[in-house]
Amino acid sequence: MENQFEELKSILAEINDLDSAAAALSWDQQTMMPRGGAQERGRVMGTLHRLSHDRFVSTEVGMLLEQLEPYAGQLDPDSNPRRIIEDAARIYRKQTRVPSEMVVEMSLATSVATQAWQTARQEDDFSLFKPHLDKIFALKRQYAELFAPYEHIYDPLLDDFERGMKTSEVKAIFAQLRPQQVALIQRILDQPPVDDSFLRQPFDAQKQWDFSVSVISRFGYDWNRGRMDKAPHPFSQMIGMGDVRITTRLFPDFFNPMLFGSMHETGHALYSQGHDPALDGTTVAHGASLALHESQSRMWENLVGRSHDFWQYFYPQLCETFPAQLQGVSLESFYRGINKVQPSLIRVEADEATYNLHVMLRLEVELALMEGSLDTADLPEFWNNRMEEFLGVRPPTNREGVLQDIHWSIGLVGYFSTYALGNLVSVQVWERILRDIPELPSQNRQGEFGALLAWLRENIHRHGAKYAPQELVERVTGSRIDPAAYMRYLTAKYGEIYGL
Amino acid sequence: MENQFEELKSILAEINDLDSAAAALSWDQQTMMPRGGAQERGRVMGTLHRLSHDRFVSTEVGMLLEQLEPYAGQLDPDSNPRRIIEDAARIYRKQTRVPSEMVVEMSLATSVATQAWQTARQEDDFSLFKPHLDKIFALKRQYAELFAPYEHIYDPLLDDFERGMKTSEVKAIFAQLRPQQVALIQRILDQPPVDDSFLRQPFDAQKQWDFSVSVISRFGYDWNRGRMDKAPHPFSQMIGMGDVRITTRLFPDFFNPMLFGSMHETGHALYSQGHDPALDGTTVAHGASLALHESQSRMWENLVGRSHDFWQYFYPQLCETFPAQLQGVSLESFYRGINKVQPSLIRVEADEATYNLHVMLRLEVELALMEGSLDTADLPEFWNNRMEEFLGVRPPTNREGVLQDIHWSIGLVGYFSTYALGNLVSVQVWERILRDIPELPSQNRQGEFGALLAWLRENIHRHGAKYAPQELVERVTGSRIDPAAYMRYLTAKYGEIYGL
């Protein structure tokens, strides 16, 4: 079976090469490519994806897996070969269920839908996007039907981003979390508001950049295997284990997006830079799931980067960098300012206390649309009512409401929940790390992150996607995804800040 | 046959997509990629090239061409379909002759040879490179044998870069040119040397960049379909017709590389930006040959950018940009300085009067090595003797002699001549343009290049590689490649500068 396994790995490596090329082109498209390249780039990406897909669903792969799966079943459950074979078989079975006509139809539908969404958003006219949304959800229902029987029609979508996760689990987690978060926010809003006006001043762009670079370098981002560039919508991109890039955006008069954004993307990138090289070229040479990825980005952004410990070390440096802007702003005021809770309309601008509620709203919408219990004609009203119920704010326009996210237009349904799950996992893991490294807070106060990164490498990063996300969370924390830790964290942090 | 032609074009488009991806990755590798990405990038590029090659030599393409070639023969010789089919058939026949083991062997040999060349050059030790050079030329002879019978064993190599060109033609051209160029240089060196010391001063990098941008923008470089970045070895890269990038290098204390280098690369890029969109996705959607490409880069760099006319318009702007550095340097002195003739050891630094002699030396070496009349053990001595004979200078080290160029180490044999041929073609075409646009000199004196670019678009750029290079030169100038125009140009220009 050694030969067959080598053969499988060489095909997976070829698929990985095509995907790596597509990843590099995607990075280029969002950072470097001149406008005139857009049309051809679309074609090239399409060809790379098609060749990669065709290679995966080929008879050759099917026959190899048929021979290899029984063999894998006899191997140590934790061994790389077993996990590599099983994951390849899982993907093969998913991909071979999807007729290529459906792939093409979805690709065409999202291509026009993205255009329509952009126009609809610009003109604040939901009716321009509505027919495309209908089409995409109709296709998503067809897609989900391919995987019948299912517990819930939304399960196959969720599985694409969060392997093995069930709708019922997410609903149960959110049902537990929502009332607690809503209540906490209410108590916060009963307090006098925090002043964060000092964050909105002119901050020299180069100095913002340099300060962020110094922070993420201390985090342990490996510049020999990465680089940072500007992009309108920041992202991190793994081109290969030796090339994991991050992007960021700079506002000349607002400090947060550059600094916290680059910490966030660095969290993703540290994960990708930390996979075991033995997994290279296989389907498990990436993060375990979107929630696990988000747990890493949110950990570095929030649990480290928005902590009081962190700023005890870095705030003096920040004051040296921006003496005029921060004159008279104490460490305490600064810490409170960057942690201000303020229910707002836009998800990507939400603070730690309100963010998950934006996600829960989106899950409700997606479930209702998949179940057929909500007509898209009623969607804007539905959205705005829920915003009022969850956060006490009502979008005055659809642009600030239902039209704010690109996800549905590009065919991402089942994705949003992972943002909130990532928040939960980040704190579950953090509690575990604090038990293993009791000195962590004092290390953070000294700007030392080596032990933290080493722990993450050992317990999470190196495994890549060898383990299913819930399996990994359980291995690491002793329990599956659970909102209790997150609520403990929010309550303690904001209790202290707002004197609750 | 319409259907078969569409089918062929769709396969060629897929091949083109893979090549476009490889082109983008190659650009990235030379400009953006972090060091850690090198190993995987090599694998990814290898996979893309292999898939592209495999697709081209597939039975499917062979069968389509068998049906299409007789049909093409009945079409108008100037029609796109005929040329597209014939060129695809030509490449198919070439590529199917080469066994894939040979491709792999050459790829491995050049991979280690490039490393060896770098070390040999660093340590100035030719013996480290010699065995690799032997290996590469042995493989090149094997390669050439695949195309027997040939007039000369070097012909198949030349044909890879300069379709249809014969060794005997190049030898005849060079034999005519060399004594005239050597004699001219001798007469120049009998004159008092020109002062160009003002070119070597501190020049602010950003100002150099901005000035170059303003010049190449006036040339007509389309920034919507391109961008400029820094690279250690500048190049232009066509990723697609809508995305043609250039690179440049900046020296803080030497003005020429940035300005003339960016003009040169812009010349290449204007060619690539000017192909007829109807050719997109086929094998003729690029320049007709390396010599034709070089004719375009050298035209903008030398015939425009180093002309007295050009600087009548731009010199006042340059003086405004660098008032301190150019104080007291008259337009005449500046013009003479940037055109100084100075026999030197390094090809890439050579001036217009001496450049071709560097190329002729390399052709002699390549011919001798391919014919087997020169042992590589004697190569350094051979090289140094020829340098003395042609240019009156003798390299004190092999680093400044036979080890200076990367070409052989990466398997490029048959390439060098195209640099000199490009110089010749540039002036042949220029003479033709001057007949069609008598106002060209006065337009250049006003910084107007629209008519020039339009002429090149119409007569050269749009055709891509529809016509073989010599065929295109003949269509445009009325004769095949001929050194007479170039000698007229050199004699007039340097006669005036050096008062001969």
Side-chain angles (χ1 to χ4, degrees):
Chain A
M1 283 297 145
E2 304 279 303
N3 284 348
Q4 284 91 331
F5 183 53
E6 287 309 311
E7 215 176 309
L8 175 69
K9 282 209 296 185
S10 101
I11 297 175
L12 293 178
E14 183 181 317
I15 291 167
N16 189 73
D17 286 343
L18 289 165
D19 296 346
S20 169
L25 294 188
S26 167
W27 172 87
D28 180 76
Q29 193 165 15
Q30 294 173 74
T31 54
M32 301 288 162
M33 189 185 75
R35 262 181 298 170
Q39 210 177 344
E40 172 159 38
R41 183 58 54 89
R43 289 202 309 268
V44 172
M45 298 281 277
T47 295
L48 292 175
H49 288 138
R50 184 170 50 73
L51 292 173
S52 162
H53 173 84
D54 288 355
R55 194 79 177 107
F56 215 124
V57 301
S58 64
T59 329
E60 201 181 347
V61 171
M63 281 165 58
L64 282 169
L65 288 171
E66 210 166 295
Q67 297 174 280
L68 283 166
E69 268 200 283
Y71 157 77
Q74 297 156 14
L75 299 174
D76 173 358
D78 279 354
S79 76
N80 286 344
R82 175 163 177 167
R83 296 290 180 150
I84 288 167
I85 292 164
E86 286 177 352
D87 195 59
R90 182 185 66 82
I91 295 171
Y92 175 80
R93 270 193 289 273
K94 282 199 84 160
Q95 293 207 358
T96 46
R97 285 225 202 171
V98 187
S100 36
E101 306 84 68
M102 191 185 284
V103 177
V104 172
E105 208 183 344
M106 180 58 86
S107 162
L108 293 174
T110 55
S111 167
V112 291
T114 312
Q115 301 275 357
W117 170 75
Q118 275 160 352
T119 316
R121 193 180 180 213
Q122 245 162 33
E123 304 185 5
D124 190 28
D125 183 350
F126 177 73
S127 72
L128 298 176
F129 184 46
K130 182 184 175 304
H132 301 280
L133 195 59
D134 286 331
K135 173 75 182 168
I136 282 169
F137 272 87
L139 284 169
K140 287 291 167 185
R141 279 190 296 271
Q142 278 180 41
Y143 174 82
E145 288 306 340
L146 300 171
F147 300 92
Y150 40 68
E151 196 182 296
H152 190 286
I153 189 171
Y154 189 73
D155 284 352
L157 305 184
L158 200 49
D159 185 78
D160 283 349
F161 305 106
E162 206 58 36
R163 162 157 65 119
M165 178 69 78
K166 293 278 173 280
T167 307
S168 55
E169 293 178 273
V170 180
K171 281 171 79 170
I173 292 166
F174 285 3
Q176 205 184 330
L177 187 60
R178 199 174 63 220
Q180 299 181 55
Q181 266 196 262
V182 169
L184 175 66
I185 294 165
Q186 201 40 65
R187 290 170 62 206
I188 290 172
L189 293 180
D190 288 343
Q191 305 301 317
V194 151
D195 176 25
D196 67 345
S197 56
F198 55 85
L199 295 170
R200 298 196 180 263
Q201 298 179 68
F203 291 96
D204 177 75
Q206 188 59 47
K207 286 183 180 168
Q208 285 195 54
W209 182 275
D210 293 342
F211 187 80
S212 299
V213 165
S214 79
V215 167
I216 65 180
S217 300
R218 284 200 78 103
F219 281 0
Y221 180 67
D222 180 355
W223 294 98
N224 284 327
R225 295 187 292 146
R227 53 178 288 132
M228 181 161 76
D229 297 274
K230 290 176 207 161
H233 302 283
F235 61 98
S236 86
Q237 180 78 59
M238 179 183 183
I239 293 170
M241 286 189 190
D243 188 355
V244 183
R245 307 183 187 183
I246 58 176
T247 59
T248 190
R249 55 181 171 173
L250 270 165
F251 292 94
D253 52 5
F254 185 32
F255 180 74
N256 290 18
M258 170 77 213
L259 178 60
F260 294 104
S262 59
M263 291 189 205
H264 181 97
E265 300 309 334
T266 298
H268 285 299
L270 289 172
Y271 194 2
S272 305
Q273 286 184 337
H275 302 323
D276 181 354
L279 307 177
D280 199 11
T282 74
T283 65
V284 299
H286 53 74
S289 73
L290 290 191
L292 264 293
H293 242 299
E294 196 71 5
S295 79
Q296 299 306 292
S297 56
R298 298 295 266 180
M299 184 181 291
W300 290 97
E301 176 195 357
N302 290 334
L303 304 185
V304 176
R306 280 193 171 88
S307 74
H308 198 278
D309 290 331
F310 175 90
W311 287 106
Q312 287 182 45
Y313 182 81
F314 281 101
Y315 193 59
Q317 296 183 16
L318 189 68
C319 291
E320 266 176 50
T321 311
F322 298 114
Q325 291 91 332
L326 297 174
Q327 195 173 21
V329 180
S330 70
L331 169 60
E332 292 312 313
S333 308
F334 179 79
Y335 171 67
R336 287 158 58 90
I338 59 169
N339 282 296
K340 180 179 184 174
V341 174
Q342 175 75 67
S344 66
L345 302 170
I346 306 297
R347 175 183 57 82
V348 297
E349 296 168 4
D351 53 74
E352 286 181 89
T354 58
Y355 190 95
N356 289 345
L357 297 173
H358 290 266
V359 169
M360 292 178 201
L361 156 60
R362 284 156 183 76
L363 177 67
E364 276 202 35
V365 172
E366 291 186 348
L367 290 177
L369 290 175
M370 285 299 286
E371 290 164 357
S373 61
L374 174 66
D375 191 314
T376 52
D378 305 323
L379 175 53
E381 185 67 14
F382 181 92
W383 181 287
N384 295 344
N385 290 342
R386 279 292 186 281
M387 280 299 287
E388 227 171 331
E389 185 186 329
F390 289 0
L391 286 162
V393 290
R394 191 176 184 89
T397 65
N398 286 325
R399 189 190 311 188
E400 293 156 285
V402 68
L403 288 174
Q404 70 184 263
D405 295 309
I406 197 176
H407 298 59
W408 296 331
S409 77
I410 57 176
L412 296 177
V413 178
Y415 188 113
F416 282 116
S417 306
T418 68
Y419 291 128
L421 296 174
N423 284 331
L424 307 191
V425 172
S426 73
V427 182
Q428 282 181 270
V429 173
W430 189 254
E431 287 190 348
R432 168 76 225 197
I433 300 172
L434 284 172
R435 285 204 299 278
D436 286 354
I437 316 177
E439 320 74 46
L440 186 62
S442 77
Q443 290 173 354
N444 287 355
R445 285 195 291 275
Q446 290 155 43
E448 293 297 340
F449 309 102
L452 171 60
L453 182 58
W455 191 98
L456 293 169
R457 289 264 194 268
E458 172 63 21
N459 292 283
I460 296 180
H461 297 178
R462 72 184 171 98
H463 298 309
K466 245 182 92 169
Y467 303 110
Q470 285 274 38
E471 184 186 4
L472 182 60
V473 172
E474 203 163 357
R475 282 177 70 101
V476 172
T477 70
S479 79
R480 294 165 72 85
I481 299 178
D482 177 337
Y486 194 68
M487 278 314 302
R488 277 195 291 277
Y489 163 72
L490 284 188
T491 309
K493 178 169 186 173
Y494 291 107
E496 195 264 317
I497 291 176
Y498 282 93
L500 305 177
Chain B
M1 285 297 143
E2 303 278 304
N3 284 348
Q4 284 90 330
F5 183 53
E6 286 310 310
E7 216 175 309
L8 176 69
K9 282 209 295 185
S10 100
I11 296 175
L12 294 179
E14 183 181 317
I15 291 166
N16 188 72
D17 286 343
L18 289 165
D19 296 346
S20 168
L25 293 188
S26 167
W27 172 86
D28 180 75
Q29 193 166 15
Q30 295 173 75
T31 54
M32 301 288 161
M33 191 184 74
R35 263 181 297 167
Q39 210 178 343
E40 172 158 37
R41 184 58 53 89
R43 289 202 309 267
V44 172
M45 299 282 277
T47 295
L48 292 175
H49 287 137
R50 184 170 50 76
L51 291 174
S52 162
H53 173 83
D54 287 355
R55 194 80 178 107
F56 215 125
V57 300
S58 64
T59 330
E60 202 181 345
V61 171
M63 281 165 57
L64 281 170
L65 288 171
E66 210 166 294
Q67 295 174 283
L68 282 166
E69 269 201 279
Y71 156 78
Q74 297 156 16
L75 299 174
D76 173 358
D78 280 354
S79 76
N80 286 344
R82 175 160 178 168
R83 295 291 180 149
I84 288 166
I85 293 165
E86 286 178 352
D87 195 59
R90 181 185 67 81
I91 295 171
Y92 175 81
R93 270 193 289 272
K94 282 199 84 161
Q95 293 207 358
T96 46
R97 284 224 203 173
V98 187
S100 35
E101 307 85 69
M102 191 184 284
V103 176
V104 172
E105 207 182 345
M106 180 58 86
S107 162
L108 293 174
T110 55
S111 168
V112 291
T114 312
Q115 301 276 355
W117 170 74
Q118 276 160 353
T119 316
R121 193 179 181 214
Q122 244 163 33
E123 303 185 5
D124 190 28
D125 183 351
F126 177 73
S127 72
L128 299 177
F129 184 47
K130 181 184 176 303
H132 301 280
L133 195 60
D134 286 332
K135 174 75 182 169
I136 282 170
F137 272 86
L139 284 169
K140 286 291 167 186
R141 280 190 296 271
Q142 279 179 41
Y143 174 82
E145 288 306 340
L146 301 171
F147 299 93
Y150 40 68
E151 197 183 295
H152 189 285
I153 190 172
Y154 189 74
D155 284 352
L157 305 184
L158 200 50
D159 185 78
D160 282 349
F161 305 106
E162 206 58 36
R163 158 157 68 119
M165 177 71 76
K166 293 277 173 279
T167 307
S168 55
E169 293 177 273
V170 181
K171 283 171 79 171
I173 291 167
F174 285 3
Q176 204 183 328
L177 188 59
R178 198 174 64 220
Q180 298 182 56
Q181 264 195 264
V182 170
L184 175 66
I185 294 165
Q186 203 40 65
R187 290 172 60 207
I188 290 172
L189 293 180
D190 290 342
Q191 304 302 316
V194 151
D195 175 25
D196 67 346
S197 56
F198 56 85
L199 294 171
R200 296 193 180 264
Q201 299 180 67
F203 291 97
D204 177 75
Q206 189 59 48
K207 285 183 182 169
Q208 284 195 54
W209 181 276
D210 294 342
F211 187 79
S212 298
V213 165
S214 80
V215 167
I216 65 179
S217 300
R218 284 200 79 104
F219 281 180
Y221 180 66
D222 179 354
W223 294 97
N224 284 326
R225 295 188 292 145
R227 53 179 286 131
M228 181 161 76
D229 296 274
K230 290 175 208 162
H233 302 283
F235 61 98
S236 85
Q237 181 77 60
M238 179 183 183
I239 293 171
M241 286 189 188
D243 189 354
V244 183
R245 307 183 187 182
I246 59 176
T247 59
T248 189
R249 56 180 170 175
L250 270 165
F251 291 95
D253 53 4
F254 185 33
F255 180 75
N256 289 20
M258 169 78 214
L259 178 60
F260 294 104
S262 58
M263 291 189 203
H264 181 97
E265 300 308 335
T266 298
H268 285 300
L270 289 172
Y271 193 2
S272 304
Q273 287 185 336
H275 302 323
D276 181 354
L279 306 177
D280 199 11
T282 73
T283 65
V284 299
H286 52 73
S289 73
L290 290 191
L292 264 292
H293 242 299
E294 196 71 6
S295 79
Q296 298 305 293
S297 56
R298 299 294 267 179
M299 183 181 290
W300 290 97
E301 176 194 358
N302 289 334
L303 305 185
V304 176
R306 279 193 172 88
S307 74
H308 198 278
D309 290 331
F310 175 90
W311 286 107
Q312 287 182 45
Y313 181 81
F314 281 101
Y315 193 60
Q317 296 183 17
L318 189 68
C319 291
E320 266 176 51
T321 310
F322 298 114
Q325 291 89 334
L326 297 173
Q327 195 173 21
V329 180
S330 69
L331 170 61
E332 291 312 313
S333 308
F334 179 81
Y335 171 67
R336 286 159 57 90
I338 59 169
N339 282 296
K340 180 180 183 174
V341 174
Q342 176 73 66
S344 66
L345 301 170
I346 307 297
R347 175 183 58 83
V348 296
E349 296 167 4
D351 54 72
E352 287 180 89
T354 58
Y355 190 96
N356 289 345
L357 297 173
H358 290 267
V359 170
M360 292 176 199
L361 155 60
R362 284 156 183 75
L363 177 68
E364 275 202 35
V365 172
E366 291 186 348
L367 290 177
L369 290 176
M370 286 299 287
E371 289 164 357
S373 61
L374 174 67
D375 191 314
T376 52
D378 305 323
L379 177 51
E381 185 67 15
F382 181 91
W383 181 287
N384 295 344
N385 290 342
R386 279 292 184 283
M387 279 300 287
E388 227 172 332
E389 185 186 330
F390 289 0
L391 286 162
V393 290
R394 192 174 183 90
T397 65
N398 286 326
R399 189 191 311 192
E400 294 155 284
V402 66
L403 288 173
Q404 69 183 263
D405 295 309
I406 197 176
H407 298 59
W408 295 331
S409 78
I410 56 175
L412 297 177
V413 177
Y415 188 112
F416 282 116
S417 305
T418 68
Y419 291 128
L421 296 174
N423 284 332
L424 307 190
V425 172
S426 74
V427 182
Q428 282 181 271
V429 172
W430 190 254
E431 287 191 347
R432 168 76 225 194
I433 299 172
L434 284 172
R435 287 203 300 278
D436 286 353
I437 315 176
E439 319 74 46
L440 185 62
S442 78
Q443 290 172 354
N444 287 354
R445 285 194 290 276
Q446 290 155 44
E448 294 295 341
F449 309 102
L452 171 59
L453 182 57
W455 191 97
L456 292 169
R457 288 266 193 265
E458 172 63 23
N459 292 283
I460 295 180
H461 298 177
R462 72 184 171 97
H463 298 309
K466 246 182 91 169
Y467 304 110
Q470 285 275 38
E471 184 186 3
L472 181 60
V473 171
E474 201 163 0
R475 280 175 72 101
V476 172
T477 70
S479 80
R480 293 165 74 85
I481 299 178
D482 177 336
Y486 194 67
M487 279 314 303
R488 276 195 293 276
Y489 163 72
L490 284 188
T491 309
K493 178 169 186 172
Y494 291 106
E496 195 264 316
I497 291 176
Y498 283 93
L500 306 178

